[in-house]
Amino acid sequence: GLVDELPDNMEGITYEQAVLGREHLVEILTEAGVEELDVPTILSLPKWSSVTKLYGDGPVVIGLETCAKFRETIPVDDASIGTAGTNE
C-alpha cells in the first residue's frame, strides 16, 4: 500500500527515525499549523517517494494547448480564473 504497516513496538523509534523519507510531508503539515506530530502519527504518513510515485513530483497543468484559442474567443471582461470547488 501507500503507507507501510506500522510496527508492533514503536518504543525504540525516535522522532528523527520516523521522519526519514517523510520530511516533505512533515514540513507541509507544520507549515499548515499542525503542531503535534508524534512518532505513530508520522509513521502513518506515506514516504515522499510513495507520493511522487503515485502523483508525480510537481503540479500537472492540463489545457495549456487551449490558451491561445481561449484568449482569441473570450472577451477580456468575461475571462476569469476560479478555484475549483469554491463556486457557490
Side-chain angles (χ1 to χ4, degrees):
L2 183 61
V3 179
D4 296 333
E5 198 165 309
L6 294 176
D8 291 330
N9 184 359
M10 290 187 247
E11 274 185 37
I13 301 173
T14 66
Y15 178 89
E16 290 76 20
Q17 291 169 324
V19 169
L20 290 176
R22 299 172 177 90
E23 296 90 348
H24 195 67
L25 290 174
V26 170
E27 181 181 337
I28 290 169
L29 291 170
T30 302
E31 288 177 3
V34 178
E35 296 178 11
E36 294 187 30
L37 289 170
D38 58 9
V39 169
T41 301
I42 293 169
L43 290 175
S44 71
L45 298 172
K47 291 190 176 179
W48 189 247
S49 59
S50 296
V51 174
T52 58
K53 187 175 181 181
L54 281 174
Y55 303 108
D57 60 359
V60 176
V61 180
I62 298 172
L64 291 177
E65 70 281 357
T66 63
C67 290
K69 183 175 181 180
F70 179 84
R71 286 191 299 269
E72 293 167 4
T73 57
I74 305 296
V76 173
D77 292 339
D78 293 338
S80 64
I81 298 174
T83 305
T86 61
N87 299 340
E88 295 183 25

